[in-house]
Amino acid sequence: MTIMQATELTHAAMLGLGVYRPERVVTNEEICETLDSTDEWIQSRSGIRTRRFAGAEESLIGMATAAAERALAVSGVSADQLGCVIVATSTHPEHTPASAPQVATALGSTAAAFDVSAGCAGFCHALNPASAMVRSGAESHVPVIGVEQLSRFMDPTDRGTAFIFADGAGAVVVGPSGATGIGPTAWGSDGSQSGVITQTPSCLGAHTETPVVQMEGTAVFRWAPFAMAEVAHSALRAAGVAVDDLDAFIPHQANLRITQTLSRNIKLPESVAVATDIVDSGNTSAASVPLAMEAMLRKGEARVGDVALLIAFGAGLSYAGRVVALPPIE
Ligand code: UT7
């Protein structure tokens, strides 16, 4: 007996990008009504001016679905073409069931669906299996959605997190293409630093309180700009792309100062446009890279087809980077 398998590899690319930004814009002044901080400190230490928090009518599933519907519309792909739906999130309220089957159903699909938990690096992780499925011919179209509702899991009085984290969703449809649009992944993890970004108290055992995210921000700050420069060079080498060939650099929007230091450490030329969506959107964890991609394309800082380096890092610690061709937006 012979087991059938697809043998010819195709190219995979992001065919379209859609986002959902919650209605409510929250200023630093509003954050400082509860947090012992100032607008000046927040802007100078993180770059953040505003962020968005989901309202009562804006659920995690709803935001993910809205972003994916827009990505499908831009891609010209219908729900019945989907082979798999992947959602990257750390703020789906339940461990089980995962959020992705509910998102797939809301999209009108019965495709396989699962969540990826890799903190702020979740979207960049999920692009890897999606691209591999499409390249192998196992599935033709796979939406990858990064979504977070961090405002539900924050202590508004915690000086280390309350001004940073925010809500939103971004989605791409990965599908077959005439040319490579998603380069090889440079990724890894460091579980010895698992205590740096945590959720506590545990939602297991006797705890009944809502868990909140806690972070040793300075430890991340010392690690990311240097470790991620190595990852950037690995991703560029694997894709056969020189740093001078890049049009855009779209790192996880953790902190504007991390982005600036990382850009210097990678030795990015001035010609490369750098994503700064953190200023308007805060740190939306797994949603930050697709949201930042959309902001650059919408503002004309980057164009469809541009060659961009994506890098994301966060809880785990987990990290992933790759070179991509930027997808179209609405
Ligand atoms: O997305 C997942 C990955 N996460 C990240 O990448 C986050 C990375 N880390 C960061 O973004 C930064 O570490 C923070 C923005 C969170 C903090 O900035 P920092 O420069 O590392 O501040 P710090 O904790 O070293 O504190 C510096 C000073 C201290 O005062 P003294 O001791 O110098 O007098 C703190 O008490 O700032 C004080 N401080 C604050 N002041 C006003 C700490 N937090 C606050 C605050 N408002 N929220």
Side-chain angles (χ1 to χ4, degrees), residues 7 9 26 40 62 64 92 98-99 128 162 203 210 221 253 291 294 303 325:
T7 48
L9 291 183
V26 179
E40 194 279 327
H92 175 48
S99 68
N128 197 7
C203 48
T210 304
F221 207 100
Q253 302 292 288
L291 283 169
E294 187 269 347
R303 286 176 299 191

Side-chain angles (χ1 to χ4, degrees), residues 4 75 85 103 116 118-119 139 166 173-174 195 205 214 237 273 276 279 286 307 322:
M4 302 281 288
S75 308
V85 175
V103 175
V116 164
E139 304 298 347
V173 176
V174 176
Q214 295 195 325
R237 258 195 316 275
T276 58
V279 174
V307 176
R322 70 173 60 68

Side-chain angles (χ1 to χ4, degrees), residues 84-299:
C84 184
V85 175
I86 310 179
V87 175
T89 186
S90 300
T91 48
H92 175 48
E94 293 103 35
H95 279 181
T96 300
S99 68
Q102 295 166 68
V103 175
T105 297
L107 292 172
S109 168
T110 55
F114 59 90
D115 288 2
V116 164
S117 172
C120 303
F123 176 84
C124 283
H125 273 63
L127 275 183
N128 197 7
S131 162
M133 285 180 217
V134 171
R135 289 191 70 223
S136 70
E139 304 298 347
S140 66
H141 295 88
V142 181
V144 173
I145 306 156
V147 58
E148 301 288 4
Q149 196 169 356
L150 280 146
S151 62
R152 273 184 77 171
F153 297 95
M154 281 189 318
D155 172 357
T157 64
D158 177 9
R159 290 176 119 202
T161 56
F163 64 95
I164 292 185
F165 291 120
D167 304 341
V172 296
V173 176
V174 176
S177 168
T180 299
I182 300 175
T185 309
W187 59 352
S189 64
D190 179 3
S192 74
Q193 297 198 69
S194 62
V196 168
I197 305 169
T198 56
Q199 203 184 45
T200 192
S202 165
C203 48
L204 301 174
H207 291 291
T208 52
E209 295 164 47
T210 304
V212 294
V213 175
Q214 295 195 325
M215 177 168 68
E216 292 175 28
T218 312
V220 181
F221 207 100
R222 289 203 184 110
W223 168 79
F226 304 97
M228 291 311 102
E230 301 286 326
V231 175
H233 287 297
S234 299
L236 288 165
R237 258 195 316 275
V241 170
V243 74
D244 293 335
D245 298 332
L246 286 173
D247 299 305
F249 175 45
I250 310 180
H252 165 48
Q253 302 292 288
N255 180 315
L256 192 60
R257 287 156 63 217
I258 290 182
T259 296
Q260 289 163 344
T261 313
L262 179 55
S263 301
R264 276 198 299 279
N265 291 348
I266 297 172
K267 299 194 168 41
L268 280 186
E270 294 273 312
S271 58
V272 178
V274 178
T276 58
D277 192 41
I278 184 143
V279 174
D280 301 318
S281 302
N283 177 339
T284 54
S285 191
S288 91
V289 166
L291 283 169
M293 251 194 295
E294 187 269 347
M296 291 190 90
L297 290 161
R298 177 170 36 85
K299 293 176 181 171

